[in-house]
């Protein structure tokens, strides 16, 4: 398991934060009955009384799932296997009493082999009754903005998830009441749900890995999401292929975004190939500042818009860069700062190019990135984008909140 990483900074009244928890895929040891699985859910202390009990397991090697069985506190319950979710899914038909619960799940494959798992969860005395509320208008608006940002680079829509919405809202409310925050919560503070993002998503019944982004002090929901997307470390969560789950919460001037972790495999580029109206300037505002490794911290507002290439794979692996260049359409070299996993400990699967000066408006740029595989082979990636009007804004002094 990779521990989550946090990035925080205040630019004017802006707080940016990102947290990542990566849970590796597991597979069965038997070559004749290969299957993949994630940890079941829920585990730990729940803040809802009507959870969805799930265990994500899917077969390989041409196997199929023949039967599934699930028991709660020793009593079998009607359960089904969802091909769409690749999971055993049981939706509790009514609120559970406060207390501790033991779950056993068994999955049988069509070659007569099976896999079984036991786990426990506790319904807290403070847990809300009934199902989680459906996403509200602000959460739907955040989802639509995030999808619009993804659509511009050719990615499909995210799936709005009420569990991630509940976790994001709970953390946004916590940060409004406890301004010292970021991604960590302290036990005993008003509104405490869980110390780390994964604990908070699990508390609302969400299984698996997550990314968490936080913005504070922006004048609108759209400006919060745009600022998070513009920041290169934070943008990686938006760039995931496939349609991962998404949740949002807005309380006061705090916005929290929570992304499920994708299982798709793809190389994603941002700005995308052929994208137009790309900003010319990046205002900065991340800590660690991605410019720190180049001795250029605090120069947001005087650099160009960051360019990313991210490689998503089923199993975490470090990306290796051979060369990276940015040129204008007529071939002129544009000086850039280059961040890779070799020089930036905040990166594992992405390369970031930050132009050293603002880009020219209404200009086409070409990007060339050559990646190196473990066997020394190279893969070349070429694409282009066009800037929009001058996007420079008056620079504000950074101050810590």
């Amino acid at each position: 398991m990779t521990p989550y990483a946090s990035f925080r900074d205040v630019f004017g009244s802006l707080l940016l934060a990102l947290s990542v928890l990566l849970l590796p895929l597991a597979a069965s040891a038997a070559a004749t009955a290969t299957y993949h699985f994630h940890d079941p859910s829920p585990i730990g202390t729940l803040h809802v009384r009507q959870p969805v009990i799930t265990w994500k397991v899917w077969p390989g090697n041409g196997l199929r799932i023949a039967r599934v069985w699930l028991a709660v506190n020793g009593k079998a319950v009607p359960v089904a296997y969802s091909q769409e979710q690749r999971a055993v899914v049981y939706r509790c038909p009514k609120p559970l009493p406060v207390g501790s619960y033991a779950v056993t799940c068994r999955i049988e494959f069509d070659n007569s082999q099976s896999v079984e798992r036991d786990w426990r969860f506790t319904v807290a005395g403070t847990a809300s009754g009934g199902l989680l509320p459906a996403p509200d208008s602000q959460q739907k608006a955040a989802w639509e903005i995030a999808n619009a940002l993804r659509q511009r680079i050719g990615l499909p829509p995210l799936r709005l998830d009420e569990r991630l919405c509940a976790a994001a809202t709970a953390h946004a409310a916590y940060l409004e009441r406890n301004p010292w925050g970021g991604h960590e919560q302290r036990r005993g503070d008003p509104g405490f749900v869980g110390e780390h993002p994964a604990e908070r998503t699990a508390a609302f019944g969400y299984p698996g890995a997550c990314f968490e982004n936080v913005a504070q002090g922006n004048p609108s929901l759209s400006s919060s999401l745009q600022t998070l997307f513009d920041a290169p470390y934070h943008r990686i969560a938006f760039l995931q292929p496939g349609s991962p789950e998404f949740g949002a919460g807005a309380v006061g001037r705090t916005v929290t975004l929570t992304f499920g972790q994708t299982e798709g495999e793809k190389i994603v580029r941002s700005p995308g190939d052929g994208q137009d109206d790309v900003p010319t300037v990046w205002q900065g505002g991340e800590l660690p500042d991605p410019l720190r490794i180049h001795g250029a911290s605090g120069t947001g507002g005087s650099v160009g818009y960051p360019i990313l290439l991210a490689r998503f794979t089923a199993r975490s692996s470090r990306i290796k860069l051979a060369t990276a260049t940015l040129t204008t359409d007529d071939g002129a070299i544009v000086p850039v700062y280059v961040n890779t996993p070799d020089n930036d400990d905040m990166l594992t699967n992405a390369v970031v190019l930050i132009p050293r000066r603002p880009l020219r408006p209404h200009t086409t740029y070409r990007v060339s990135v050559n990646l190196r595989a473990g066997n020394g082979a190279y893969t070349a990636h070429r694409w282009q984008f066009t800037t929009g009007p001058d996007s420079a804004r008056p620079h504000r002094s950074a101050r810590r909140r």
Side-chain angles (χ1 to χ4, degrees):
M1 183 182 297
T2 303
Y4 74 94
S6 298
F7 313 99
R8 285 191 295 166
D9 188 52
V10 180
F11 180 74
S13 58
L14 168 67
L15 169 66
L16 295 182
L18 168 67
S19 184
V20 184
L21 175 69
L22 302 178
L23 298 180
L25 233 57
S28 66
T32 57
T34 300
Y35 55 88
H36 307 277
F37 61 91
H38 287 302
D39 286 338
S41 173
I43 292 177
T45 301
L46 281 186
H47 285 251
V48 291
R49 291 181 55 193
Q50 199 167 351
V52 178
I53 299 174
T54 64
W55 187 23
K56 193 165 191 174
V57 178
W58 64 101
N61 288 354
L63 293 179
R64 294 186 179 184
I65 290 176
R67 285 174 294 278
V68 297
W69 178 84
L70 187 141
V72 180
N73 284 350
K75 181 180 179 181
V77 297
V79 69
Y81 184 82
S82 168
Q83 294 290 347
E84 180 183 5
Q85 299 180 49
R86 298 194 295 183
V88 177
V89 179
Y90 173 65
R91 297 180 178 274
C92 295
K94 59 183 180 180
L96 298 175
V98 172
S100 181
Y101 293 84
V103 182
T104 299
C105 183
R106 184 171 66 249
I107 298 174
E108 298 178 4
F109 303 102
D110 59 1
N111 66 349
S112 299
Q113 295 195 10
S114 64
V115 59
E116 187 170 307
R117 182 73 179 265
D118 299 309
W119 71 93
R120 304 184 68 89
F121 65 87
T122 300
V123 175
T126 56
S128 60
L131 297 171
L132 289 171
D136 62 25
S137 59
Q138 277 196 309
Q139 290 164 335
K140 290 179 180 178
W143 173 60
E144 290 169 355
I145 295 167
N147 283 336
L149 292 167
R150 286 169 56 85
Q151 185 180 24
R152 297 193 68 195
I153 53 178
L155 292 173
L158 301 161
R159 289 178 287 149
L160 192 58
D161 187 281
E162 68 272 12
R163 297 165 297 180
L164 294 183
C165 282
T169 300
H171 190 52
Y174 174 89
L175 293 176
E176 283 289 304
R177 301 178 70 181
N178 304 279
W180 71 272
H183 294 294
E184 299 79 14
Q185 293 187 5
R186 296 186 300 198
R187 294 185 185 277
D189 281 351
F192 173 84
V193 174
E195 291 184 2
H196 306 309
E199 294 178 19
R200 296 191 287 273
T201 55
F204 290 98
Y206 183 81
C210 64
F211 292 79
E212 182 183 86
N213 285 4
V214 175
Q216 289 184 290
N218 284 279
S220 67
L221 185 65
S222 61
S223 64
S224 291
L225 269 79
Q226 185 66 60
T227 303
L228 288 167
F229 186 85
D230 291 344
Y233 292 142
H234 297 71
R235 198 187 311 173
I236 294 170
F238 287 87
L239 302 186
Q240 297 183 89
S243 296
E245 292 95 350
F246 171 83
V251 180
R253 297 186 73 183
T254 298
V255 174
T256 301
L257 308 180
T258 309
F259 300 79
Q261 183 184 325
T262 187
E263 293 169 8
E265 297 199 15
K266 187 173 184 176
I267 286 183
V268 181
R269 299 164 293 190
S270 174
D273 189 19
Q275 183 176 340
D276 57 13
D277 203 26
V278 173
T280 60
V281 174
W282 180 47
Q283 299 296 325
E286 282 186 297
L287 183 65
D289 187 338
L291 296 169
R292 73 196 182 283
I293 62 175
H294 308 290
S297 291
T299 56
S302 62
V303 295
Y305 192 74
I307 303 157
L308 271 73
L309 181 146
R311 182 179 66 192
F312 297 92
T313 59
R315 295 184 180 276
S316 178
S317 61
R318 290 170 65 87
I319 201 169
K320 294 289 292 183
L321 177 69
T323 61
T325 58
L326 178 67
T327 63
T328 58
D329 199 29
D330 58 7
I333 297 291
V334 178
V336 294
Y337 299 110
V338 181
N339 291 40
T340 79
D342 288 334
N343 66 1
D344 188 339
D345 60 2
M346 294 295 119
L347 297 175
T348 57
N349 70 324
V351 173
V352 180
L353 283 65
I354 304 177
R356 298 190 179 209
R357 296 288 181 269
L359 299 175
R360 298 202 304 256
H362 305 297
T363 302
T364 297
Y365 289 87
R366 299 183 182 274
V367 189
S368 174
V369 174
N370 292 322
L371 302 181
R372 185 167 53 219
N375 61 4
Y378 291 84
T379 56
H381 303 272
R382 310 281 186 269
W383 74 100
Q384 67 181 44
F385 64 88
T386 302
T387 55
D390 187 355
S391 55
R393 298 190 299 271
H395 183 74
R396 297 177 293 168
S397 299
R399 63 179 178 85
R400 191 161 300 281
R401 186 173 183 274

